[in-house]
Amino acid sequence: MANDNNSRQLIGLRIGFVATRLAGTDGVSLEVAKWVEVLKRLGHTCFFFAGQSEWPADRTRLAPQAYFRDPAIEAITRLAFSAEWGSEDLLEYTNPDIFSIVTRAFSTRIRPPNVTRRIHDITEHLKRELYAYVREFDLELLIVENALSIPMNIPLGLALTEFLAETGFPTIAHHHDFYWERSRFLANCVSDYLNMAFPPALPSVLHVAINSIAARELSLRTGISAMVIPNVMDFAGPPPEPDNYAARVRADLGIAPDEAFLLQPTRVVQRKGIEHAIELTRRLGRKARLVVSHASGDEGDAYEQRVREYAELMQVPVNFEAELIRDQRGQTDDGRKIYTLADVYPQADLVTYPSTVEGFGNAFLEAIYYHRPIVINNYSIFEVDIKPKGFKVIEFDGYITDSTIDQAVRLLDNSDLARTWAETNYSLAQRYYSYAVLKRHLQTLIAEHFGEERATAN
């Protein structure tokens, strides 16, 4: 570990990011890339620790059990947050000492001893990996991305907490989602671990929330104060014009020349409210097709099946294009072109974002960045943090109304109005959600740990 700060005056910090996954197009991985870019511009050097990573190998330490999809981690998560093991037969097997005195109703809230032992074993292993990571890259600051927020990997959260308690290592905990914001985590047999590590109240940790509601709830529940840093994009540099590669996006996605192209740029999970996008597509009164960009991800495929069935019931053409829309251009095994969201957004006539719950809203910022009109369900963070800034959107509150349809049709038919809205939104985003905003906040956090002179090396 590096302790001689005086020898490094005006030299950038060596900063280590820690997450369960740093790959793909999930919100955490996307925001990490933005933080890394801003920190790089400030003169700092970044390194990476995760179960999966797409960052350069020479700056990365991979620990497979840090990944939430590792089989042992998945088993722990399943047992911690479901009642699968709570039958009498399984309870007698996993904890015979207390079987005779535990009722069926209580059994779903207790933890089998073998699960506790497995958690402790993996925690110790990951803690050793963290010590090795800090030493290997001579790190001075850790930035923990959601691993101390939502318990997708309980041993990793515990390992981080114990490491920080043992070392007092300077840390920024960047919280995207808290466990109490997801109903599937509320009934569990690991409340002792959640209270300890998700997140931990330790003196060396500065906390960051991505919206004011989360920051306020964190303070009420734990007494921890957090800086609010919203998600951002590089609004100082507008997107380039579509190139020749992207010329056939609409055709390759199966969109006819006379069809309106509605883009749902999210995963297929229940809180994204994709039924609303299907209803909107149906009620536009014209030929239209909805394209869903991402797969279901880590929350199963039951909701995707429900969305497919609902689309058939409503007789709405919906394309699920996770194979053709990825984080990098390329080619599928059968020779089709792979596009990025940067290729797809400029071709969309309307972006749908009918989420019921969001930590912030990356798709909102992306739609603004690519000058697209957007339909938004008035989710709480939009209502409290974003809407008051004056953005022009087609808004509905829980269900599609005739007014929603009228506004959508109006924008589809009036390109000048759509352009005016887009320009207004881009100007507001430059002010509130740019890299300059992130830069200012990161300098403040680094100064809290190391003093003003280390906040920037430029």
Side-chain angles (χ1 to χ4, degrees), residues 195-264:
N195 292 331
M196 170 187 171
F198 296 95
L202 294 170
S204 67
V205 182
L206 298 176
H207 298 266
V208 172
I210 63 175
N211 65 73
S212 64
I213 294 177
R216 189 158 54 246
E217 189 67 18
L218 174 65
S219 179
L220 289 171
R221 287 174 176 268
T222 68
I224 293 172
S225 61
M227 175 183 287
V228 176
I229 303 181
N231 291 359
V232 298
M233 290 192 71
D234 191 6
F235 287 101
E241 292 296 319
D243 58 15
N244 290 334
Y245 184 94
R248 286 188 49 83
V249 165
R250 292 177 68 105
D252 288 350
L253 294 179
I255 300 163
D258 60 343
E259 275 186 320
F261 172 12
L262 278 68
L263 174 64
Q264 172 77 28

Side-chain angles (χ1 to χ4, degrees), residues 17-22 48-53 60-74 77 122-123 125-127 129-130 133 145-148 150-157 159-160 198:
F17 282 82
V18 178
T20 182
R21 171 180 62 185
L22 291 171
F48 308 93
F49 177 101
Q52 275 194 346
S53 174
T60 300
R61 187 176 184 89
L62 284 176
Q65 287 193 312
Y67 186 36
F68 66 89
R69 284 278 179 84
D70 177 84
I73 301 302
E74 279 196 316
T77 303
I122 299 175
T123 295
H125 166 70
L126 289 174
K127 188 166 64 171
E129 289 289 313
L130 288 167
Y133 172 53
E145 293 287 342
N146 230 31
L148 294 172
I150 199 162
M152 295 295 293
N153 188 327
I154 293 171
L156 178 58
L160 278 162
F198 296 95

Side-chain angles (χ1 to χ4, degrees), residues 25 54 245 324-331 338-340:
T25 57
E54 294 176 346
Y245 184 94
L324 295 186
I325 303 175
R326 301 186 189 175
D327 55 331
Q328 292 183 347
R329 289 174 171 180
Q331 195 172 66
I338 293 172
Y339 296 102
T340 67

Side-chain angles (χ1 to χ4, degrees), residues 17-75:
F17 282 82
V18 178
T20 182
R21 171 180 62 185
L22 291 171
T25 57
D26 63 284
V28 172
S29 296
L30 292 174
E31 287 307 300
V32 167
K34 299 167 190 176
W35 280 42
V36 169
E37 177 60 27
V38 172
L39 289 167
K40 179 181 176 181
R41 294 179 186 180
L42 288 170
H44 306 299
T45 306
C46 297
F47 303 86
F48 308 93
F49 177 101
Q52 275 194 346
S53 174
E54 294 176 346
W55 292 95
D58 62 349
R59 293 193 179 186
T60 300
R61 187 176 184 89
L62 284 176
Q65 287 193 312
Y67 186 36
F68 66 89
R69 284 278 179 84
D70 177 84
I73 301 302
E74 279 196 316

Side-chain angles (χ1 to χ4, degrees), residues 122-132 155 158-164 166:
I122 299 175
T123 295
E124 284 299 315
H125 166 70
L126 289 174
K127 188 166 64 171
R128 289 193 295 271
E129 289 289 313
L130 288 167
Y131 271 99
L158 295 176
L160 278 162
T161 299
E162 291 185 5
F163 170 81
L164 297 173
E166 292 169 3

